[in-house]
Amino acid sequence: MQTTNVSLERWVHEVAELTKAAEIKLCDGSDEEYQEMIGLMLDSGLLHELNDDYENCYLHRSDPTDVARVEHLTFVCTPHQDEAGPNNNWMEPDAAHAKMHALYDGCMEGRTMYVIPYCMGPIDSPYARLGIEITDSPYVVANMKLMTRMGEKALHRIEQDGRFVRGLHSTGDLNPERRFIMHFPEEMMIQSFGSGYGGNALLGKKCHALRIASWQARDEGWLAEHMLLMEVESPEGKKYYLAAAFPSACGKTNLAMLEPPESQAGWKIRTLGDDIAWLHVDDHGQMRAINPEAGYFGVVPGTNEDTNRTAFEMIQHNAIFTNVAVTADNKPWWEEKNVGEPAIDWQGKPYKAGNGPAAHPNSRFTVAATNNSKYSPLSDDPAGVPITAIIFGGRRRELAPLVYEAKDWNHGVLIGASVASETTAAAIGEVGVVRRDPMAMKPFCGYNFAQYWGHWLGFSEKFDNLPPIYHVNWFRRDDDGRFLWPGFGENLRVLRWIIERCEGRAHAVDTPIGALPLPEDIDTSGLDLQEGDLEALLSVDNDKWREEFTAIEEYFDSFEEHLPDALRVEHKKVVNALS
Ligand code: OXD
Ligand code: MN
């Protein structure tokens, strides 16, 4: 282990002593090192080869109890519980340190301890932030190589800047009773034990780029958000940049790689990011964003040539699959792949229809972002991209219309803070229950939501030209459960309305909840909608919204005196307009 950063050197040796690791390996991020990790895992049975048609692709089967994020075992450890807020599990830092110390004691005995320097964001960007993850998992090393800018250059910048987030991860014995994901934002530290699952173990992602970063962003005046980042280019060649926050497994990856349907000829989409965006206002007052990540850890089931052709093709080479099924000829298989048949399920057992899905509903692919044929080279621009509009959304079978526009920034913050969505398989727990997921950050905001909303509201006091804010819902259904909107590529029609509004061209009508298009304001040429579907998608039922605003108020009340007055004011304005 060679570094000029003395405190890093000291920390690594302290950890090695505690964990009793047999060997320390400082990762350089090279392709050779990646192949070495793959080789190690093939030998130990952690990875399996796949059919040669899937070049350089591998399958990992996790422990069946370790398949998703564990929100109930994820903690924010601050001196006062109020700092973490009712939106987080809280533990007092000394108690958390003592608990983790006991778990780490001797946990890497006889094993190699990998030290991974990584950079979240373009390596030469002033907006990028650094981290070191120490782990005993070669799976983590390989995934971090695909997901982040990892290795020598990151270490070099750490040595220059001196500031970095410390993450310690051990897979442990995978006993769910001994599984914790701890965050110490004041110490810029993450400690994770007992899980190898992405969001719990790839510490650059949720733990650093959202929980720790959101805390830093508040202190430094920016925003760390659970948002995709995409470029939309019009047939005239004008480019727009959208940042959209949807909860986990609600279609961020699909939207970021949207394939324009034939009827939308001339429009082009490029992906900047599919999960996380860091937003800053530059010296000219323009909000800009970078994607701190360099790869995707996406949900596999549902990915096919129609829903996301780009992702479907992108995962046919240089990908790691986790918990998918395989076919008789050893190709990865998942529900709605639409080709092939499962022979072996995600647990490695012969597949039997009726025994549940063949691929785990939260099975994942990991690929470098450069695998994506729609990859935007601007992802590497240190200055990021100028944001045209911010979009919030959730998975709501009723109530929320297809699209609506906030009246101004503060009303947009209310819309974001009021997001609710049906839960998905991305986290352990019941699926399909509506829960409040403000800004899609419920599992990821590293401090009290009340202060977080205050931080968002503060932008309108400081800046004049903030991007307009929208809310979308692709998931409205009729009484029989049929989706009213086709979604996927056709969502471009809604993005076009948003863009045209930003250009001051499109029409909208004011309602108490915001401005909506009339059915004729959305291009539906060639769309196979049933009569009345679009009207239903664009309707606002004041009675139902009054009930929703009562539920929102009850939720806000749980933040007690911390709730910003300005948010109450925005809430009251809508309630008054509804009555
Ligand atoms: C993710 C998640 O993996 O949100 O991105 O769970
Ligand atoms: Mn996510």
Side-chain angles (χ1 to χ4, degrees), residues 12-13 21 32 37 47 184 192 273 298 311 328 364 402 422 424 440 458 511 515 535 558:
V12 168
H13 285 287
E32 295 72 36
M37 293 300 123
L47 279 193
F184 304 89
S192 164
R364 296 280 178 146
L402 182 62
E422 292 155 28
T424 66
T511 78
E535 287 71 14
S558 67

Side-chain angles (χ1 to χ4, degrees), residues 206 226 248 252 275:
K206 303 300 184 180
H226 193 202
S248 307
K252 287 195 294 302
D275 196 43

Side-chain angles (χ1 to χ4, degrees), residues 390-403:
I390 289 175
I391 304 173
F392 293 115
R395 187 187 283 272
R396 300 287 306 258
R397 55 168 57 228
E398 41 188 48
L399 193 73
L402 182 62
V403 58

Side-chain angles (χ1 to χ4, degrees), residues 399 539-547 578:
L399 193 73
S539 63
V540 175
D541 180 329
N542 282 7
D543 289 338
K544 287 206 176 123
W545 274 100
R546 258 195 298 276
E547 280 170 32
L578 281 167

Side-chain angles (χ1 to χ4, degrees), residues 50 54 58-60 67 139 197 249 253-254 274 296-305 307-308 311-312 314-316 319-325 331-338 346 358-367 425-426 488:
L50 289 165
Y54 283 77
Y58 303 94
L59 165 65
H60 170 67
V67 292
Y139 172 82
Y197 173 77
T253 307
N254 292 340
D274 80 329
Y296 313 121
F297 181 68
V299 177
V300 188
T303 307
N304 61 45
E305 291 209 282
T307 57
N308 190 339
F312 191 72
M314 159 182 99
I315 57 181
Q316 300 201 3
I320 298 176
F321 289 91
T322 301
N323 290 339
V324 294
K331 291 184 178 159
W333 192 91
W334 52 88
E335 274 63 25
E336 291 174 66
K337 185 181 183 187
N338 294 351
W346 66 276
H360 189 277
N362 191 39
S363 52
R364 296 280 178 146
F365 58 74
T366 320
V367 288
F488 304 107

